[in-house]
Amino acid sequence: MPFSILVAAMSCYLSLSRRLELVVARAAGMSAWQFVTPALIVALLLGVFATLVYNPVAASLQERSKRLEVEFLGGNRDSGLQNTGTVFGWRQRNATVSRSSTR
C-alpha cells in the first residue's frame, strides 16, 4: 500500500509539472505543502484503515480458511494461530512446549 500511494503521488506531480500547473500554482502564491498535503492525508488514512480494519479481518479470515481446510480436506491442524477469544495471537513451539499441549 505505501508504494502504491508513493507511485500515484509521483505520477500525479509529474503530470502536473509537465503541464506547468505546479509552476502556475507556485507563481500564484500557493505553498508546496498545500499540494503535498492531500497525498499525505490519503496515505495516513489508508495506513490507519489497513492497520485497524484490514489486518484483523485478514487474520481472522486466514484462520477460518485453515479451519475449513482441516474440516473438508483433512489438512494440517496446527495453523500457528491460537484463538484467544476475539484476538488472534501467534504461538511458537520450543523445547519446553510439547506438541500435544499446543492443540
Side-chain angles (χ1 to χ4, degrees):
M1 272 196 197
F3 288 112
S4 64
I5 293 171
L6 176 68
V7 169
M10 286 173 46
S11 66
C12 175
Y13 296 136
L14 179 66
S15 85
L16 287 174
S17 70
R18 283 186 179 169
R19 290 183 276 160
L20 299 176
E21 291 182 30
L22 289 179
V23 174
V24 171
R26 292 286 295 148
M30 186 176 190
S31 169
W33 288 105
Q34 288 177 315
F35 53 81
V36 171
T37 302
L40 293 174
I41 290 172
V42 168
L44 179 69
L45 291 176
L46 282 176
V48 168
F49 173 78
T51 303
L52 296 178
V53 177
Y54 180 74
N55 286 341
V57 169
S60 66
L61 290 177
Q62 181 181 18
E63 178 65 18
R64 184 176 176 197
S65 74
K66 293 288 186 179
R67 288 183 187 149
L68 288 174
E69 179 183 351
V70 168
E71 182 180 335
F72 292 119
L73 302 175
N76 186 10
R77 289 181 165 215
D78 188 18
S79 68
L81 291 176
Q82 168 186 335
N83 188 356
T84 58
T86 60
V87 179
F88 292 96
W90 292 99
R91 182 193 301 186
Q92 181 177 355
R93 286 196 190 108
N94 57 24
T96 61
V97 178
S98 69
R99 193 165 188 52
S100 62
S101 67
T102 60
R103 291 186 185 170

Coordinates of all heavy atoms in Angstrom, one line a residue:
M1 N 0.8 -1.2 0.0 CA 0.0 0.0 0.0 C 0.9 1.3 0.0 O 0.5 2.2 -0.7 CB -0.9 0.0 1.2 CG -2.2 -0.7 0.9 SD -3.4 -0.2 2.2 CE -4.6 -1.5 1.9
P2 N 1.9 1.3 0.8 CA 2.7 2.6 0.8 C 3.3 2.9 -0.6 O 3.3 4.0 -1.0 CB 3.8 2.3 1.8 CG 3.3 1.2 2.7 CD 2.4 0.4 1.8
F3 N 3.8 1.8 -1.3 CA 4.4 2.0 -2.6 C 3.3 2.5 -3.6 O 3.6 3.2 -4.5 CB 5.1 0.8 -3.0 CG 6.4 0.6 -2.2 CD1 6.5 -0.5 -1.4 CD2 7.4 1.5 -2.3 CE1 7.7 -0.7 -0.7 CE2 8.6 1.3 -1.6 CZ 8.7 0.2 -0.8
S4 N 2.1 2.0 -3.5 CA 1.1 2.4 -4.5 C 0.8 3.9 -4.3 O 0.6 4.6 -5.3 CB -0.1 1.5 -4.3 OG -0.7 1.7 -3.0
I5 N 0.7 4.3 -3.0 CA 0.5 5.8 -2.8 C 1.7 6.6 -3.3 O 1.5 7.6 -3.9 CB 0.2 6.0 -1.3 CG1 -1.1 5.3 -0.9 CG2 0.1 7.5 -1.0 CD1 -1.4 5.3 0.6
L6 N 2.9 6.1 -3.0 CA 4.1 6.8 -3.5 C 4.1 6.9 -5.0 O 4.3 8.0 -5.5 CB 5.3 6.1 -3.0 CG 6.6 6.7 -3.4 CD1 6.9 8.0 -2.8 CD2 7.8 5.7 -3.1
V7 N 3.8 5.9 -5.7 CA 3.9 5.9 -7.2 C 2.7 6.8 -7.7 O 2.9 7.6 -8.6 CB 3.8 4.5 -7.7 CG1 3.5 4.5 -9.2 CG2 5.0 3.7 -7.4
A8 N 1.6 6.7 -7.1 CA 0.4 7.5 -7.5 C 0.7 9.0 -7.3 O 0.5 9.8 -8.2 CB -0.8 7.1 -6.8
A9 N 1.3 9.4 -6.2 CA 1.6 10.8 -5.9 C 2.7 11.3 -6.9 O 2.6 12.4 -7.4 CB 2.0 10.9 -4.5
M10 N 3.7 10.4 -7.1 CA 4.8 10.8 -8.0 C 4.3 11.0 -9.4 O 4.6 12.0 -10.1 CB 5.9 9.8 -8.0 CG 6.7 9.9 -6.7 SD 7.9 8.5 -6.6 CE 8.7 8.5 -8.1
S11 N 3.4 10.1 -9.9 CA 2.9 10.3 -11.3 C 2.0 11.5 -11.4 O 2.0 12.2 -12.4 CB 2.2 9.0 -11.7 OG 1.0 8.8 -10.9
C12 N 1.2 11.8 -10.3 CA 0.3 13.0 -10.3 C 1.2 14.2 -10.4 O 0.9 15.1 -11.2 CB -0.5 13.0 -9.1 SG -1.5 14.4 -8.9
Y13 N 2.2 14.3 -9.5 CA 3.0 15.5 -9.5 C 3.9 15.6 -10.8 O 4.1 16.8 -11.3 CB 4.0 15.5 -8.3 CG 3.2 15.6 -7.0 CD1 3.5 14.9 -5.9 CD2 2.1 16.5 -6.9 CE1 2.8 15.0 -4.8 CE2 1.4 16.6 -5.7 CZ 1.7 15.8 -4.7 OH 1.0 15.9 -3.5
L14 N 4.2 14.5 -11.4 CA 5.0 14.6 -12.7 C 4.1 15.1 -13.8 O 4.5 16.0 -14.6 CB 5.5 13.2 -13.0 CG 6.2 13.0 -14.4 CD1 7.5 13.8 -14.3 CD2 6.5 11.6 -14.7
S15 N 2.8 14.7 -13.8 CA 1.9 15.2 -14.9 C 1.6 16.6 -14.7 O 1.5 17.4 -15.6 CB 0.7 14.3 -15.0 OG -0.3 14.7 -14.1
L16 N 1.5 17.0 -13.4 CA 1.2 18.5 -13.1 C 2.4 19.3 -13.5 O 2.3 20.4 -14.0 CB 0.9 18.7 -11.6 CG -0.5 18.2 -11.2 CD1 -0.6 18.3 -9.7 CD2 -1.6 19.0 -11.9
S17 N 3.6 18.8 -13.3 CA 4.8 19.6 -13.6 C 5.0 19.7 -15.1 O 5.5 20.7 -15.7 CB 6.0 19.1 -12.9 OG 6.4 17.8 -13.4
R18 N 4.7 18.6 -15.8 CA 4.8 18.6 -17.3 C 3.9 19.6 -18.0 O 4.2 20.2 -19.0 CB 4.6 17.2 -17.9 CG 5.7 16.3 -17.7 CD 5.5 15.0 -18.4 NE 6.7 14.1 -18.2 CZ 6.7 12.9 -18.5 NH1 5.6 12.3 -19.0 NH2 7.8 12.2 -18.3
R19 N 2.7 19.8 -17.4 CA 1.7 20.8 -17.9 C 1.9 22.1 -17.3 O 1.1 23.0 -17.5 CB 0.3 20.3 -17.6 CG 0.0 19.1 -18.5 CD -1.4 18.6 -18.3 NE -1.5 17.8 -17.1 CZ -2.6 17.5 -16.4 NH1 -3.7 18.0 -16.7 NH2 -2.5 16.7 -15.4
L20 N 3.0 22.3 -16.5 CA 3.4 23.6 -15.9 C 2.3 24.1 -14.9 O 2.3 25.3 -14.5 CB 3.7 24.6 -16.9 CG 4.8 24.3 -17.9 CD1 5.0 25.4 -18.9 CD2 6.1 24.1 -17.1
E21 N 1.5 23.2 -14.4 CA 0.4 23.6 -13.4 C 1.1 23.9 -12.1 O 0.6 24.8 -11.3 CB -0.7 22.6 -13.3 CG -1.5 22.5 -14.6 CD -2.6 21.5 -14.5 OE1 -3.1 21.3 -13.4 OE2 -3.0 21.0 -15.6
L22 N 2.1 23.2 -11.7 CA 2.8 23.4 -10.4 C 3.5 24.8 -10.5 O 3.5 25.5 -9.5 CB 3.8 22.3 -10.1 CG 3.2 21.0 -9.7 CD1 4.3 20.0 -9.5 CD2 2.3 21.1 -8.5
V23 N 4.0 25.1 -11.6 CA 4.7 26.4 -11.7 C 3.7 27.6 -11.6 O 3.9 28.6 -10.9 CB 5.4 26.5 -13.1 CG1 6.0 27.9 -13.3 CG2 6.5 25.5 -13.2
V24 N 2.5 27.4 -12.2 CA 1.5 28.4 -12.1 C 1.0 28.5 -10.7 O 0.7 29.6 -10.2 CB 0.3 28.1 -13.1 CG1 -0.9 29.0 -12.9 CG2 0.8 28.2 -14.5
A25 N 0.8 27.4 -10.0 CA 0.3 27.4 -8.6 C 1.3 28.1 -7.7 O 0.9 28.8 -6.8 CB 0.0 26.0 -8.2
R26 N 2.6 27.8 -7.9 CA 3.6 28.4 -7.1 C 3.7 29.9 -7.4 O 3.9 30.7 -6.5 CB 5.0 27.8 -7.4 CG 5.1 26.4 -6.9 CD 5.2 26.3 -5.4 NE 6.5 26.9 -4.9 CZ 6.6 27.5 -3.8 NH1 5.6 27.6 -2.9 NH2 7.8 28.0 -3.5
A27 N 3.5 30.3 -8.6 CA 3.5 31.7 -9.0 C 2.3 32.5 -8.4 O 2.4 33.7 -8.1 CB 3.6 31.9 -10.5
A28 N 1.2 31.8 -8.2 CA 0.0 32.4 -7.6 C 0.1 32.5 -6.1 O -0.8 33.0 -5.5 CB -1.2 31.6 -8.0
G29 N 1.2 32.0 -5.6 CA 1.4 32.1 -4.1 C 1.0 30.9 -3.3 O 1.0 30.9 -2.1
M30 N 0.8 29.8 -4.0 CA 0.4 28.5 -3.3 C 1.7 27.9 -2.7 O 2.7 27.7 -3.5 CB -0.3 27.6 -4.2 CG -0.9 26.4 -3.6 SD -1.8 25.4 -4.9 CE -2.5 24.2 -3.9
S31 N 1.6 27.4 -1.5 CA 2.8 26.8 -0.9 C 2.9 25.3 -1.4 O 1.9 24.7 -1.8 CB 2.6 26.7 0.6 OG 3.5 25.9 1.2
A32 N 4.1 24.8 -1.4 CA 4.3 23.4 -1.8 C 3.6 22.5 -0.9 O 3.1 21.4 -1.3 CB 5.8 23.1 -1.9
W33 N 3.5 22.8 0.4 CA 2.8 22.0 1.3 C 1.3 21.9 1.0 O 0.7 20.9 1.4 CB 3.0 22.5 2.7 CG 4.4 22.2 3.2 CD1 5.4 23.1 3.3 CD2 5.0 21.0 3.6 NE1 6.6 22.5 3.7 CE2 6.3 21.2 3.9 CE3 4.5 19.7 3.6 CZ2 7.2 20.2 4.3 CZ3 5.4 18.6 4.0 CH2 6.7 18.9 4.3
Q34 N 0.7 22.9 0.4 CA -0.7 22.8 0.1 C -1.0 21.8 -1.0 O -2.1 21.3 -1.0 CB -1.2 24.2 -0.4 CG -1.3 25.2 0.8 CD -1.7 26.6 0.3 OE1 -1.1 27.1 -0.7 NE2 -2.6 27.2 1.0
F35 N -0.1 21.5 -1.9 CA -0.4 20.4 -2.9 C 0.2 19.1 -2.5 O -0.1 18.1 -3.1 CB -0.1 20.8 -4.3 CG 1.2 21.3 -4.6 CD1 2.3 20.5 -4.8 CD2 1.5 22.7 -4.7 CE1 3.6 21.0 -5.0 CE2 2.7 23.2 -5.0 CZ 3.8 22.3 -5.1
V36 N 1.0 19.1 -1.5 CA 1.5 17.8 -0.9 C 0.6 17.2 0.2 O 0.5 16.0 0.3 CB 3.0 18.0 -0.4 CG1 3.5 16.7 0.3 CG2 3.9 18.3 -1.6
T37 N -0.1 18.1 0.8 CA -1.0 17.7 2.0 C -2.0 16.7 1.6 O -2.2 15.7 2.3 CB -1.6 18.9 2.6 OG1 -0.6 19.8 3.0 CG2 -2.5 18.6 3.8
P38 N -2.7 16.8 0.5 CA -3.7 15.7 0.1 C -3.1 14.3 0.0 O -3.7 13.3 0.5 CB -4.3 16.2 -1.2 CG -4.1 17.6 -1.2 CD -2.8 17.9 -0.5
A39 N -2.0 14.2 -0.6 CA -1.3 12.9 -0.6 C -0.9 12.4 0.7 O -1.1 11.2 1.0 CB -0.1 13.0 -1.5
L40 N -0.5 13.3 1.6 CA -0.1 12.8 3.0 C -1.4 12.4 3.7 O -1.3 11.4 4.5 CB 0.6 14.0 3.7 CG 1.9 14.4 3.2 CD1 2.4 15.6 4.0 CD2 2.9 13.2 3.4
I41 N -2.5 13.1 3.6 CA -3.7 12.7 4.3 C -4.2 11.4 3.8 O -4.6 10.6 4.6 CB -4.8 13.9 4.1 CG1 -4.3 15.1 4.9 CG2 -6.1 13.4 4.6 CD1 -5.2 16.3 4.7
V42 N -4.2 11.2 2.5 CA -4.7 9.9 1.9 C -3.8 8.8 2.4 O -4.3 7.7 2.8 CB -4.7 10.0 0.4 CG1 -4.9 8.6 -0.2 CG2 -5.8 10.9 -0.1
A43 N -2.5 9.0 2.4 CA -1.6 7.9 2.9 C -1.8 7.6 4.4 O -1.9 6.4 4.8 CB -0.1 8.4 2.7
L44 N -2.1 8.6 5.2 CA -2.3 8.4 6.6 C -3.7 7.7 6.8 O -3.7 6.7 7.6 CB -2.4 9.8 7.3 CG -2.7 9.7 8.8 CD1 -1.5 9.1 9.6 CD2 -3.0 11.1 9.4
L45 N -4.7 8.1 6.1 CA -6.0 7.4 6.2 C -5.9 6.0 5.8 O -6.5 5.1 6.4 CB -7.1 8.2 5.5 CG -7.5 9.6 6.1 CD1 -8.5 10.3 5.2 CD2 -8.0 9.4 7.5
L46 N -5.3 5.7 4.7 CA -5.1 4.3 4.2 C -4.3 3.5 5.2 O -4.6 2.3 5.4 CB -4.6 4.3 2.8 CG -5.5 4.6 1.7 CD1 -4.8 4.6 0.4 CD2 -6.7 3.6 1.7
G47 N -3.3 4.1 5.8 CA -2.5 3.4 6.8 C -3.3 3.0 8.0 O -3.2 1.9 8.5
V48 N -4.1 4.0 8.5 CA -4.9 3.7 9.7 C -6.0 2.6 9.3 O -6.2 1.7 10.1 CB -5.6 5.0 10.1 CG1 -6.7 4.7 11.1 CG2 -4.6 5.9 10.7
F49 N -6.6 2.7 8.1 CA -7.6 1.7 7.7 C -6.9 0.3 7.6 O -7.5 -0.7 8.1 CB -8.2 2.1 6.4 CG -9.1 1.0 5.8 CD1 -10.4 0.9 6.3 CD2 -8.6 0.2 4.8 CE1 -11.2 -0.1 5.8 CE2 -9.5 -0.8 4.3 CZ -10.7 -0.9 4.8
A50 N -5.8 0.3 7.0 CA -5.1 -1.0 6.9 C -4.7 -1.6 8.3 O -4.8 -2.8 8.5 CB -3.8 -0.9 6.0
T51 N -4.3 -0.8 9.2 CA -3.9 -1.3 10.5 C -5.1 -1.7 11.4 O -5.1 -2.7 12.0 CB -3.1 -0.2 11.2 OG1 -2.0 0.1 10.4 CG2 -2.6 -0.7 12.6
L52 N -6.1 -0.9 11.4 CA -7.2 -1.1 12.3 C -8.3 -2.0 11.7 O -9.0 -2.7 12.5 CB -7.9 0.2 12.7 CG -7.0 1.2 13.5 CD1 -7.7 2.5 13.8 CD2 -6.5 0.5 14.7
V53 N -8.5 -2.1 10.4 CA -9.6 -2.9 9.8 C -9.1 -4.0 9.0 O -9.4 -5.2 9.2 CB -10.5 -2.0 9.0 CG1 -11.6 -2.8 8.3 CG2 -11.1 -0.9 9.8
Y54 N -8.2 -3.7 8.0 CA -7.8 -4.8 7.0 C -7.0 -5.9 7.7 O -7.3 -7.1 7.4 CB -7.0 -4.1 5.9 CG -6.6 -5.1 4.9 CD1 -7.4 -5.6 4.0 CD2 -5.2 -5.5 4.8 CE1 -7.0 -6.5 3.0 CE2 -4.8 -6.4 3.9 CZ -5.7 -6.9 3.0 OH -5.3 -7.8 2.1
N55 N -6.0 -5.6 8.5 CA -5.2 -6.6 9.1 C -5.9 -7.6 10.0 O -5.8 -8.8 9.9 CB -4.0 -6.0 9.8 CG -2.9 -5.5 8.8 OD1 -2.9 -5.9 7.7 ND2 -2.1 -4.6 9.3
P56 N -6.8 -7.1 10.9 CA -7.5 -8.0 11.8 C -8.5 -8.9 11.0 O -8.7 -10.1 11.3 CB -8.3 -7.1 12.8 CG -7.5 -5.8 12.8 CD -6.9 -5.7 11.4
V57 N -9.2 -8.3 10.0 CA -10.1 -9.1 9.2 C -9.3 -10.1 8.4 O -9.8 -11.3 8.3 CB -10.9 -8.1 8.2 CG1 -11.7 -8.9 7.2 CG2 -11.8 -7.3 9.0
A58 N -8.2 -9.8 7.8 CA -7.4 -10.7 7.1 C -6.9 -11.9 8.0 O -6.9 -13.0 7.6 CB -6.2 -10.0 6.4
A59 N -6.5 -11.6 9.2 CA -6.1 -12.6 10.1 C -7.2 -13.6 10.5 O -7.0 -14.8 10.5 CB -5.5 -12.0 11.4
S60 N -8.4 -13.0 10.8 CA -9.5 -13.9 11.1 C -9.9 -14.7 9.9 O -10.3 -15.9 10.1 CB -10.7 -13.1 11.7 OG -11.2 -12.2 10.7
L61 N -9.9 -14.2 8.7 CA -10.3 -14.9 7.5 C -9.3 -16.0 7.2 O -9.6 -17.1 6.8 CB -10.5 -14.0 6.3 CG -11.8 -13.1 6.4 CD1 -11.8 -12.2 5.2 CD2 -13.0 -14.0 6.5
Q62 N -8.0 -15.7 7.5 CA -7.0 -16.8 7.3 C -7.2 -17.9 8.2 O -7.1 -19.1 7.9 CB -5.6 -16.2 7.4 CG -4.5 -17.2 7.2 CD -3.1 -16.6 7.3 OE1 -2.9 -15.5 8.0 NE2 -2.1 -17.3 6.8
E63 N -7.5 -17.6 9.5 CA -7.7 -18.7 10.5 C -9.0 -19.5 10.1 O -9.0 -20.7 10.2 CB -7.9 -18.0 11.9 CG -8.2 -19.0 12.9 CD -7.1 -20.0 13.2 OE1 -5.9 -19.7 12.8 OE2 -7.3 -21.1 13.8
R64 N -10.0 -18.8 9.6 CA -11.2 -19.5 9.2 C -10.9 -20.4 8.0 O -11.4 -21.5 7.9 CB -12.3 -18.5 8.8 CG -13.6 -19.1 8.4 CD -14.6 -18.1 8.1 NE -15.8 -18.8 7.7 CZ -16.8 -18.2 7.1 NH1 -16.7 -16.9 6.9 NH2 -17.9 -18.8 6.7
S65 N -10.1 -20.0 7.0 CA -9.7 -20.8 5.9 C -8.9 -22.0 6.3 O -9.1 -23.1 5.8 CB -9.0 -20.0 4.9 OG -7.6 -19.8 5.3
K66 N -8.0 -21.9 7.3 CA -7.3 -23.0 7.9 C -8.2 -24.0 8.5 O -8.1 -25.2 8.3 CB -6.2 -22.6 8.9 CG -5.1 -21.8 8.3 CD -4.2 -22.6 7.5 CE -3.0 -21.8 7.0 NZ -2.1 -22.6 6.3
R67 N -9.2 -23.5 9.3 CA -10.2 -24.4 9.9 C -11.0 -25.2 8.9 O -11.3 -26.4 9.0 CB -11.1 -23.7 10.8 CG -10.4 -23.2 12.1 CD -11.3 -22.5 13.0 NE -10.5 -22.0 14.1 CZ -10.9 -20.9 14.8 NH1 -12.0 -20.2 14.5 NH2 -10.1 -20.5 15.8
L68 N -11.4 -24.5 7.8 CA -12.2 -25.1 6.7 C -11.4 -26.1 6.0 O -11.9 -27.2 5.6 CB -12.8 -24.1 5.8 CG -13.9 -23.2 6.3 CD1 -14.3 -22.1 5.3 CD2 -15.1 -24.0 6.7
E69 N -10.1 -25.8 5.8 CA -9.2 -26.8 5.2 C -9.1 -28.1 6.0 O -9.1 -29.2 5.4 CB -7.8 -26.2 5.0 CG -6.8 -27.1 4.3 CD -5.4 -26.4 4.3 OE1 -5.3 -25.2 4.5 OE2 -4.5 -27.2 3.9
V70 N -9.0 -27.9 7.3 CA -8.9 -29.1 8.1 C -10.2 -29.9 8.1 O -10.2 -31.1 8.0 CB -8.6 -28.7 9.6 CG1 -8.7 -29.9 10.5 CG2 -7.1 -28.2 9.7
E71 N -11.3 -29.2 8.1 CA -12.6 -29.8 8.1 C -12.9 -30.5 6.8 O -13.4 -31.7 6.8 CB -13.7 -28.7 8.4 CG -15.1 -29.3 8.5 CD -16.1 -28.2 8.7 OE1 -15.8 -27.2 9.2 OE2 -17.3 -28.4 8.3
F72 N -12.6 -29.9 5.7 CA -13.0 -30.5 4.4 C -12.0 -31.3 3.7 O -12.2 -32.3 3.1 CB -13.5 -29.4 3.4 CG -14.8 -28.8 3.8 CD1 -14.8 -27.4 4.1 CD2 -15.9 -29.5 4.0 CE1 -16.0 -26.8 4.5 CE2 -17.1 -28.9 4.4 CZ -17.1 -27.5 4.6
L73 N -10.7 -31.0 3.9 CA -9.6 -31.6 3.2 C -8.7 -32.4 4.1 O -7.8 -33.1 3.6 CB -8.8 -30.6 2.4 CG -9.6 -29.8 1.4 CD1 -8.6 -28.7 0.7 CD2 -10.2 -30.7 0.3
G74 N -8.9 -32.3 5.4 CA -8.0 -33.0 6.3 C -6.6 -32.5 6.3 O -5.6 -33.2 6.4
G75 N -6.5 -31.2 6.2 CA -5.1 -30.6 6.2 C -4.5 -30.6 7.5 O -4.9 -31.3 8.5
N76 N -3.4 -29.8 7.7 CA -2.7 -29.7 8.9 C -3.5 -29.0 10.0 O -4.0 -27.9 9.8 CB -1.4 -28.9 8.6 CG -0.5 -28.9 9.8 OD1 -0.7 -29.6 10.8 ND2 0.6 -28.1 9.7
R77 N -3.6 -29.6 11.2 CA -4.4 -29.0 12.2 C -3.8 -27.8 12.9 O -4.5 -26.9 13.3 CB -4.7 -30.0 13.3 CG -5.7 -31.1 12.9 CD -5.9 -32.0 14.0 NE -7.0 -32.8 13.7 CZ -7.9 -33.2 14.6 NH1 -7.8 -32.9 15.8 NH2 -9.0 -33.9 14.2
D78 N -2.5 -27.8 12.9 CA -1.8 -26.7 13.6 C -1.5 -25.6 12.6 O -0.6 -25.6 11.9 CB -0.5 -27.2 14.2 CG 0.2 -26.1 15.1 OD1 -0.5 -25.2 15.5 OD2 1.4 -26.3 15.4
S79 N -2.3 -24.5 12.7 CA -2.1 -23.4 11.7 C -1.2 -22.4 12.2 O -0.8 -21.5 11.5 CB -3.5 -22.7 11.5 OG -3.9 -22.1 12.6
G80 N -0.8 -22.4 13.5 CA 0.1 -21.5 14.1 C -0.6 -20.3 14.7 O 0.0 -19.5 15.4
L81 N -1.9 -20.3 14.6 CA -2.7 -19.2 15.3 C -3.5 -19.8 16.4 O -3.9 -21.0 16.3 CB -3.6 -18.6 14.3 CG -3.0 -17.7 13.2 CD1 -4.1 -17.2 12.2 CD2 -2.3 -16.5 13.8
Q82 N -3.6 -19.1 17.4 CA -4.4 -19.5 18.6 C -5.5 -18.6 18.8 O -5.3 -17.4 18.9 CB -3.4 -19.5 19.8 CG -4.1 -19.7 21.1 CD -3.1 -19.5 22.2 OE1 -1.9 -19.7 22.0 NE2 -3.5 -19.1 23.4
N83 N -6.7 -19.1 18.9 CA -7.9 -18.2 19.2 C -8.0 -18.0 20.7 O -8.2 -18.9 21.4 CB -9.1 -18.9 18.6 CG -10.3 -18.0 18.7 OD1 -10.2 -16.9 19.2 ND2 -11.4 -18.4 18.1
T84 N -7.9 -16.7 21.1 CA -8.0 -16.4 22.5 C -9.2 -15.4 22.7 O -9.0 -14.3 23.1 CB -6.7 -15.7 23.0 OG1 -6.5 -14.5 22.2 CG2 -5.5 -16.6 22.9
G85 N -10.3 -15.9 22.2 CA -11.5 -15.0 22.3 C -11.6 -14.2 21.0 O -11.9 -14.8 20.0
T86 N -11.5 -12.9 21.1 CA -11.6 -12.1 19.9 C -10.3 -11.7 19.3 O -10.2 -11.1 18.3 CB -12.4 -10.8 20.3 OG1 -11.6 -10.1 21.3 CG2 -13.7 -11.1 20.8
V87 N -9.2 -12.0 20.0 CA -7.8 -11.7 19.5 C -7.1 -12.9 19.1 O -7.1 -13.9 19.8 CB -7.0 -10.9 20.6 CG1 -5.7 -10.5 20.1 CG2 -7.8 -9.7 21.0
F88 N -6.4 -12.8 17.9 CA -5.6 -14.0 17.4 C -4.2 -13.7 17.7 O -3.7 -12.5 17.6 CB -5.8 -14.1 15.9 CG -7.2 -14.6 15.6 CD1 -8.1 -13.7 15.2 CD2 -7.5 -15.9 15.6 CE1 -9.4 -14.1 14.8 CE2 -8.7 -16.4 15.3 CZ -9.7 -15.5 14.9
G89 N -3.5 -14.7 18.2 CA -2.1 -14.5 18.5 C -1.2 -15.6 18.0 O -1.7 -16.7 17.8
W90 N 0.1 -15.4 17.8 CA 1.0 -16.4 17.3 C 1.5 -17.2 18.5 O 1.8 -16.7 19.6 CB 2.2 -15.8 16.6 CG 1.8 -15.1 15.3 CD1 1.6 -13.8 15.1 CD2 1.6 -15.8 14.1 NE1 1.2 -13.6 13.8 CE2 1.2 -14.8 13.2 CE3 1.6 -17.1 13.7 CZ2 0.9 -15.1 11.8 CZ3 1.3 -17.4 12.3 CH2 1.0 -16.4 11.5
R91 N 1.6 -18.5 18.3 CA 2.2 -19.4 19.3 C 3.4 -20.1 18.7 O 3.2 -20.7 17.6 CB 1.2 -20.3 19.9 CG 1.8 -21.2 20.9 CD 0.9 -22.4 21.3 NE -0.4 -21.9 21.7 CZ -1.3 -22.8 22.2 NH1 -1.1 -24.1 22.3 NH2 -2.5 -22.3 22.6
Q92 N 4.5 -20.1 19.3 CA 5.7 -20.8 18.7 C 6.1 -21.9 19.6 O 6.1 -21.7 20.9 CB 6.8 -19.8 18.6 CG 8.1 -20.4 18.0 CD 9.2 -19.4 17.8 OE1 9.0 -18.2 18.0 NE2 10.3 -19.8 17.4
R93 N 6.4 -23.0 19.0 CA 6.8 -24.2 19.8 C 8.3 -24.0 20.2 O 9.0 -23.5 19.4 CB 6.6 -25.5 19.0 CG 5.2 -25.9 18.9 CD 5.2 -27.4 18.5 NE 3.8 -27.7 18.2 CZ 3.4 -27.9 17.0 NH1 4.2 -27.8 15.9 NH2 2.1 -28.2 16.8
N94 N 8.6 -24.5 21.3 CA 10.0 -24.6 21.7 C 10.2 -25.9 22.5 O 9.4 -26.8 22.5 CB 10.5 -23.4 22.5 CG 9.6 -23.2 23.8 OD1 9.0 -24.1 24.3 ND2 9.6 -22.0 24.3
A95 N 11.4 -26.1 23.1 CA 11.7 -27.3 23.7 C 10.8 -27.6 24.9 O 10.6 -28.8 25.3 CB 13.2 -27.3 24.1
T96 N 10.3 -26.6 25.6 CA 9.5 -26.8 26.8 C 8.1 -27.0 26.5 O 7.3 -27.6 27.3 CB 9.6 -25.6 27.7 OG1 9.1 -24.4 27.1 CG2 11.1 -25.4 28.2
V97 N 7.6 -26.7 25.3 CA 6.2 -26.9 25.0 C 6.1 -28.1 24.0 O 6.7 -28.1 23.0 CB 5.6 -25.6 24.2 CG1 4.2 -25.9 23.8 CG2 5.7 -24.4 25.1
S98 N 5.4 -29.1 24.5 CA 5.3 -30.3 23.7 C 4.3 -30.2 22.6 O 3.4 -29.3 22.6 CB 5.0 -31.5 24.6 OG 3.6 -31.4 25.0
R99 N 4.3 -31.0 21.6 CA 3.3 -31.0 20.5 C 1.9 -31.2 21.0 O 1.0 -30.6 20.5 CB 3.7 -32.0 19.5 CG 3.1 -31.9 18.2 CD 3.8 -32.8 17.2 NE 3.5 -32.8 15.8 CZ 3.5 -31.7 15.0 NH1 3.7 -30.5 15.5 NH2 3.3 -31.9 13.7
S100 N 1.7 -32.0 21.9 CA 0.3 -32.3 22.4 C -0.3 -31.2 23.2 O -1.5 -31.0 23.2 CB 0.2 -33.6 23.2 OG 1.0 -33.4 24.4
S101 N 0.5 -30.4 23.9 CA 0.0 -29.3 24.7 C -0.4 -28.0 23.9 O -1.0 -27.1 24.4 CB 1.0 -28.9 25.8 OG 2.1 -28.3 25.2
T102 N 0.0 -28.0 22.6 CA -0.3 -26.8 21.8 C -1.6 -26.9 21.1 O -2.1 -25.9 20.5 CB 0.8 -26.5 20.7 OG1 0.9 -27.7 19.9 CG2 2.1 -26.2 21.4
R103 N -2.3 -28.0 21.2 CA -3.6 -28.2 20.5 C -4.7 -28.0 21.4 O -4.8 -28.2 22.5 CB -3.7 -29.5 19.9 CG -2.7 -29.6 18.7 CD -2.9 -30.9 18.0 NE -1.9 -31.0 17.0 CZ -1.6 -32.0 16.3 NH1 -2.3 -33.1 16.4 NH2 -0.6 -32.0 15.4

